[in-house]
Every structure is written in structure tokens, then in C-alpha cells.
Amino acid sequence: MRFLFAHARSLSGHWAGGLTAAGLFALNPNVLYLQATAMTELLLFACAIVALHYLHEWCAEGRIRDLSLASGAVLAATLTRYEGWILFAVAAAIVALTALRRHRRYSHTEGSLVVFGFVAGAGVLGWMAWNLAIFGDAMNWKSGEYADSSLWVADGEANVGSLPTAMETYGLASLHNLGIATAALGIAGLVLYAVHKRARSRWLVPYAMLVFAPFFVWALYTGERPLHVREVMGALYNVRFGLIMLIPAAVFAGYLIGKLVPLLPGRRVAAAALAGPPSSAPRSPSTAPSPSTRPSSTAPADGRPTTPPSPSGCASTTTAAPRS
């Protein structure tokens, strides 16, 4: 939550944006459910959010420390789920494009890619090396006996070979996971972000997570993974694949709220009410009483001391002693 809050606040420039993004993610019922199970999706989400935060900081500020931290987060994502491999490819493309636009030299681009890829890609290479050492095939994770998609994709799957059906299925799965309100805020925030930032290299990172939508549509279309929704297949299965779209939806919704809050008409009124009534203007020196008009402190002629007024402002009732 900390990194999601920081990422959305950095994009929108307002704490309300960070709070909105963190709240939409943390309070999502499907996230609350998954965090109580032994599934690995939330670990992947955590790694992806940390990677996005530090990668955006590197794109904005150019600090090598941020690029190194982003590469470590991507490494953890690639060792968690295969979706992390897609994140690695997209992040590497952003690093290359940003470095090329910033320095206009291939040597600097190559250096940035080496710094990022040496750590971020180690998980992918390590997993292939393990498959090669154990099974004699570096691609056994894809073509092995227990990796055949026919083990879980049934014959006659509606999504296989039908791109419109695959798109509809994944769209409905994402909508069921996000909810109508979050999805609407996310789409509106995406449009506003695209209008404000467009495709400048400094602001490319928030678009990265959107690539998972076409990735999963392709997986459904080619029969690599099954996903069922009631509207298409009459049942629910693997609907959790759509939950990853909550990350970009929360970020863009936070951007939208962060930009709208400072424009609220009642914001200044509320701030003035909290500040209290205005203080009275100080008296100018010209209106201060002159020494000649100040009350005289001269003692009476008979030598008796003057009794000061009581704290309540009334004159003292003490009587003087009789004269001898």
C-alpha cells in the first residue's frame, strides 16, 4: 500500500490521489479474499507495484538507485509467476526508450539496459537453466509433459479461436473483479492522464500494467489458459486473472481524484473555516493615546495612598482611617 500510495501521489501531485489508489486496492473484496488464500497473485501484485514506483522515479529523476531497486522488484516478480516475465519485457522496453530519448546515444541506452536487465532478467535465465539441468530442455516449462494446455483447456472452449469472445470474456472478468465504480474511475483517469501526459517517456510507466489485458486475451484466444464467466460460458473459472487490472485502474483513478480535489469550490471555504475568524487589525500609532491624555497617577493632596481598582473593575469599598 505504501508504494501504491506514493506512486499515485507522485503522478497526481496530491495526497488524495495516493489515498484513493491505496484505498481502492486495499478495500477491494477480491483482494481481501486472495490475501487469505495460498495463491501467488498478491505477491506478484506487490512486486509489480514496487517495480512501477521505482521505475517511474528513475524515468522522472534519472537516479541509478531507483533503476536498481526497480530491477530487483522485477526479479522477484519473474520468480513468482509467469506474468512477471511480461512485466520484465515491458519494463525493459520502457528503460530502453527512456534512456534513448534522454541521452540520444546508444551507449547510454545500452548501459541502462545492462544495469536493469542484469538483475531483472536473472530470474528468467535461472529458471531456464534449471529446466535445462533437470529435464534437458530449457523450454520444458512450456513444452513439458505437465505444461500442455490441453490438461486444463477443454475441447470446444468458446474463447479459443474467437477473438471477440476472448475480449468479451476478459473484459467481463476484469469488470467483475474491479466493480463498476472503480472501472469507471479508472477509465476516466486514463483518459485524463493520456490527455495531460500523452506518451512522453517520463510518464510511460503507468501504462505498463495495461499490457496484461491483451496478454490475457491472447492467452484465451490461443487456448493457453481457460477463463469462464457466466455471461459467456455459464460458469465461473479462473476469474482471478482479471484482478491484475485493478492496479492500473486504482492508479488512474487516484490520478483523477488527485487532479479534481484541488479544483473543488468548497475547498477554500473549508480551509477558511478551519483557520477561524480573522483577527482584528492592529491599532495604528496615530490612534494610540498621547501621554497628555493618559490617566494621571498623582497621589491625593492629603498624602493617602490611592486604592487600586478591584479585579472586577469596580471601585474599592475600603474606608480610610479617621484622622487623629
Side-chain angles (χ1 to χ4, degrees), residues 241-285:
F241 289 161
L243 187 58
I244 196 169
M245 300 309 296
L246 178 60
I247 298 177
V251 169
F252 288 122
Y255 179 81
L256 175 67
I257 299 301
K259 291 299 183 183
L260 291 181
V261 166
L263 303 178
L264 294 178
R267 184 170 175 265
R268 295 182 179 178
V269 176
L274 292 175
S279 58
S280 58
R283 180 181 295 177
S284 62

Side-chain angles (χ1 to χ4, degrees), residues 48-137:
I49 291 170
V50 174
L52 292 177
H53 170 69
Y54 283 117
L55 188 59
H56 172 71
E57 292 298 310
W58 175 76
C59 290
E61 305 296 336
R63 293 186 296 260
I64 194 67
R65 171 182 174 274
D66 294 326
L67 184 61
S68 300
L69 291 173
S71 66
V74 172
L75 167 64
T78 60
L79 294 174
T80 302
R81 290 182 63 88
Y82 287 118
E83 291 95 319
W85 295 28
I86 305 301
L87 178 63
F88 165 67
V90 174
I94 291 176
V95 170
L97 182 60
T98 302
L100 186 60
R101 287 184 175 181
R102 178 179 295 163
H103 302 291
R104 304 292 181 178
R105 295 178 61 182
Y106 288 102
S107 58
H108 286 81
T109 303
E110 181 182 0
S112 298
L113 279 175
V114 169
V115 170
F116 176 79
F118 183 79
V119 175
V124 176
L125 294 178
W127 182 239
M128 289 185 175
W130 187 88
N131 278 264
L132 179 62
I134 301 300
F135 302 105
D137 181 9

